[in-house]
Amino acid sequence: MNIPGDQARLQAHYDALGAGQDAEAWYEDPAFDDLCANCRFEEARAVVEVGCGTGRFAERLLRSHLTPRATYFGLDLSTVMVNLTRSRLAEFGARCRIEQGDAAAGLPLGEGVADRVVMTFVLDLLTPAETAAVLDEARRVLAPGGVLCAASLDRGRGLASRLRSFGWNLVHAIAPLKVGGCRPLTLPDTLGPGWSASYYVRRSIRNCAIASISAQPLPESWDEHG
Ligand SMILES: C[S@@+](CC[C@H](N)C(=O)[O-])C[C@H]1O[C@@H](n2cnc3c(N)ncnc32)[C@H](O)[C@@H]1O
């Protein structure tokens, strides 16, 4: 949101919202469906999720897509969200670890420990500097062949979804927390040239435009010489 103290306000917002975040399922679930259909979670050994929220997507992955040996690590800025995810995933035991923290300040993980980094409806609330930091961290923790799996609000294509997206931007400009700090974006542009997308799907759900993508980091030298 680019205003000093924003992160504390964002954290307070998501602490207060808590389980209310699940009311966004009507447009989030179709993006989750696309990620599950395209990101080959069945082959994953270690999944890292940035901004896990209430743990709704994590539960779906653990219940229906990951093998029993695959591990899950979730991070969220909000302690309330961390506690909700911990309770939700308690039945999966030691395979899951959930911590509170700011992903832009760094992921508490070693290099190359993950083969999927998941971010659903998180890139759309980060500042450009935070986005760059979080993407660098995703690149660092992904093992060779690992994949970033992301979903976000999208700018829309048809007139109705573009109008809704315009309205969303307007509210974001005036009172960003009214829309959870989120604003529509174009995922491939947000990832930038350092990532190679293997799929990118855009949809409109009741005129709310959403998108999902999976992408692999290109070698860092690609940026310099490519
Ligand atoms: C719009 S919610 C989406 C939650 C969940 N991923 C979903 O799709 O339902 C954004 C989440 O990202 C978390 N978040 C925001 N900035 C963050 C940061 N810098 N590091 C970690 N989590 C962050 C918020 O606390 C919130 O739980």
Side-chain angles (χ1 to χ4, degrees):
M1 295 186 293
N2 279 324
I3 308 166
D6 273 356
Q7 197 155 57
R9 280 162 51 199
L10 194 67
Q11 184 175 354
H13 172 83
Y14 281 103
D15 279 344
L17 183 61
Q21 172 65 33
D22 290 350
E24 311 301 310
W26 64 273
Y27 66 82
E28 289 192 351
D29 280 355
F32 293 177
D33 294 343
D34 289 332
L35 289 173
C36 289
N38 289 287
C39 293
R40 306 208 314 244
F41 285 108
E42 289 72 11
E43 295 168 20
R45 283 162 299 132
V47 176
V48 169
E49 183 171 16
V50 173
C52 55
T54 65
R56 214 159 51 81
F57 189 52
E59 182 185 12
R60 175 169 174 176
L61 288 181
L62 285 151
R63 206 171 287 297
S64 310
H65 296 280
L66 298 180
T67 66
R69 298 222 321 240
T71 61
Y72 170 87
F73 173 83
L75 185 87
D76 203 285
L77 197 55
S78 152
T79 43
V80 171
M81 294 299 188
V82 167
N83 289 332
L84 286 167
T85 301
R86 282 187 180 149
S87 325
R88 193 167 213 151
L89 304 186
E91 67 180 277
F92 299 101
R95 293 167 63 197
C96 300
R97 189 177 132 215
I98 302 101
E99 289 188 10
Q100 192 275 338
D102 170 11
L107 296 174
L109 299 168
E111 271 177 41
V113 296
D115 45 24
R116 300 287 182 281
V117 172
V118 172
M119 280 192 253
T120 62
F121 301 95
V122 176
L123 284 169
D124 36 21
L125 54 68
L126 300 178
T127 64
E130 289 167 342
T131 300
V134 170
L135 290 175
D136 280 352
E137 279 297 274
R139 173 187 286 276
R140 183 181 68 78
V141 302
L142 278 171
V147 179
L148 174 72
C149 311
S152 78
L153 297 168
D154 178 62
R155 295 200 164 96
R157 280 181 294 186
L159 181 64
S161 64
R162 277 196 185 145
L163 276 175
R164 186 169 187 140
S165 174
F166 175 79
W168 197 304
N169 269 323
L170 205 59
V171 177
H172 182 268
I174 298 165
L177 289 178
K178 289 256 181 249
V179 282
C182 301
R183 76 294 192 203
L185 46 79
T186 303
L187 272 173
D189 293 349
T190 298
L191 297 191
W195 294 80
S196 165
S198 20
Y199 98 92
Y200 173 46
V201 174
R202 303 168 78 195
R203 288 170 179 273
S204 175
I205 314 295
R206 287 190 248 153
N207 296 323
C208 176
I210 55 155
S212 61
I213 197 165
S214 75
Q216 290 194 290
L218 291 165
E220 281 180 303
S221 56
W222 187 91
D223 257 352
E224 288 155 32
H225 308 295

